[in-house]
Amino acid sequence: MELRPAQFERQLGAEPLRPVYLVAGSEPLLVQEAADALRARAREEGYGEREVFDVDTDFDWNRLSQGMASMSLFASRRLFELRMPSGKPGKEGAEALREYCAKPPPDTVLLITTQDWSRKHAGKWTEAIAAAGHLVVFWPLKSHELGDWLQRRLRSRGLVATPDAVQQLADRVEGNLLAAAQEVDKLALLAGGSREAIGVVRMEQLVADSSRFDVFAMVDAALAGEPARAVRMLAALRAEGEQVAGLMPMVAREVLALCKLSRAAEAGRLAAAMRELHVWESKQAAYRRAAERHPPSRWEAFAAECGRIDRSAKGRGDGDPWLQLERLLVAIADARARRLLAS
């Protein structure tokens, strides 16, 4: 059946594992944490073997059926994971999933995760999953829902904050749940053990020490195709006293990774390249969109621009490094803005 996220959390601990689960949504953090919870429950239930399949355009669906049909030498219960970033199995995949749901193998759980989802993705294959197991969709949080989500997350880490302090934190993360989770974890380290509610002044003091997280969030915004948010984050870093020379190693590292991923995407082996580069599952959807937004030649041009900005920031090149970095972020986020680098 189709479950709301809260229902999924309750039923996961209150019933035997179903043969199949589809965990979908465009919020990578929520999808990842739900999948982690199911994996933990599977380990508790004795599912000692785990096999992962990454679905790309060349995926052979026979691999899934063959893997499930094979006997295991190590465990009687097995967890199969199907990572399908696009949320579209295609005709062959939809039929394979319908066949699995019609007659699931014993002592086997199939977990399907996807980070791109809308009502248009649904079809007979998702109906089959809902009939045999559970379909859980995480829709993006609305702006008025973020405060409650932050309060629940703070409480889960043993923290309490005033409504004004929570709003201040919400303004800082700007709806980015990955950044929000990082901030809450940092707060737990800095303020853990205190029974006093965190107020606005204390929240400002605590999050002021979190600037090293902001550069990653800034790059994530650019990779996600959000130029305005990336520029706002860059301005905030500048106001906090950061220097371009200190930011560039992290920016360059991500750009160089995208050079490799873009070439891999062009060759049809993006999923394998992400594994080789140890890209977190929670970031794979954003990396995929970024790799497909620009051709490899443009990512190589971005890498060369990183070198020019770094030299400028260190006084060995011409131009304003802050303006140059801003233009680079905008060009990364928006394919139409690439000409900014030439101006």
Side-chain angles (χ1 to χ4, degrees), residues 103-165:
K103 192 176 180 180
D107 297 318
T108 300
V109 171
L110 173 62
L111 167 62
I112 306 165
T113 57
T114 174
Q115 295 177 354
D116 188 7
W117 196 258
S118 70
R119 299 290 183 190
K120 295 180 181 179
H121 286 77
K124 292 183 178 180
W125 67 280
T126 60
E127 294 174 2
I129 289 172
H134 287 317
L135 166 61
V136 188
V137 178
F138 291 87
W139 300 107
L141 289 183
K142 297 180 174 62
S143 57
H144 68 273
E145 297 172 329
L146 180 58
D148 289 340
W149 184 88
L150 284 169
Q151 279 284 26
R152 290 194 299 272
R153 192 144 189 119
L154 287 164
R155 284 196 295 269
S156 74
R157 302 300 192 270
L159 299 172
V160 179
T162 66
D164 288 344

Side-chain angles (χ1 to χ4, degrees), residues 84 117 275:
M84 190 167 57
W117 196 258
R275 288 196 301 272

Side-chain angles (χ1 to χ4, degrees), residues 20 91 124 235:
V20 58
K91 184 177 180 180
K124 292 183 178 180

Side-chain angles (χ1 to χ4, degrees), residues 1-5 7-9 12 15 17-26 30-36 38-39 55 61 79-89 93-94 97-98 100-101 109-139 281:
M1 62 185 295
E2 183 170 351
L3 299 177
R4 291 190 295 272
Q7 292 176 308
F8 169 70
E9 292 177 10
L12 189 59
E15 65 176 17
L17 288 176
R18 298 293 184 96
V20 58
Y21 293 82
L22 171 59
V23 181
S26 57
L30 303 183
V31 171
Q32 178 184 340
E33 292 187 338
D36 286 344
L38 193 145
R39 293 182 193 110
V55 178
W61 285 91
L79 173 65
F80 286 84
E81 290 190 32
L82 197 64
R83 296 175 178 173
M84 190 167 57
S86 70
K88 298 177 181 178
L97 293 172
R98 288 174 61 190
Y100 169 85
C101 293
V109 171
L110 173 62
L111 167 62
I112 306 165
T113 57
T114 174
Q115 295 177 354
D116 188 7
W117 196 258
S118 70
R119 299 290 183 190
K120 295 180 181 179
H121 286 77
K124 292 183 178 180
W125 67 280
T126 60
E127 294 174 2
I129 289 172
H134 287 317
L135 166 61
V136 188
V137 178
F138 291 87
W139 300 107
E281 185 176 350

Side-chain angles (χ1 to χ4, degrees), residues 27-34 36 141 146-147 149-159 166 169-190 203 207 210 212-214 216-217 220 229 233 280 282-283:
E27 289 288 1
L29 176 72
L30 303 183
V31 171
Q32 178 184 340
E33 292 187 338
D36 286 344
L141 289 183
L146 180 58
W149 184 88
L150 284 169
Q151 279 284 26
R152 290 194 299 272
R153 192 144 189 119
L154 287 164
R155 284 196 295 269
S156 74
R157 302 300 192 270
L159 299 172
V166 171
L169 182 58
D171 293 341
R172 179 180 178 84
V173 299
E174 297 183 312
N176 185 327
L177 296 194
L178 289 171
Q182 290 175 329
E183 292 285 9
V184 171
D185 289 343
K186 176 73 183 306
L187 289 169
L189 290 174
L190 295 175
M203 181 68 76
V207 299
S210 304
R212 67 175 180 273
F213 289 138
D214 289 347
F216 294 111
D220 285 346
R229 191 159 68 89
M233 290 181 171
W280 292 358
S282 61
K283 299 181 71 171

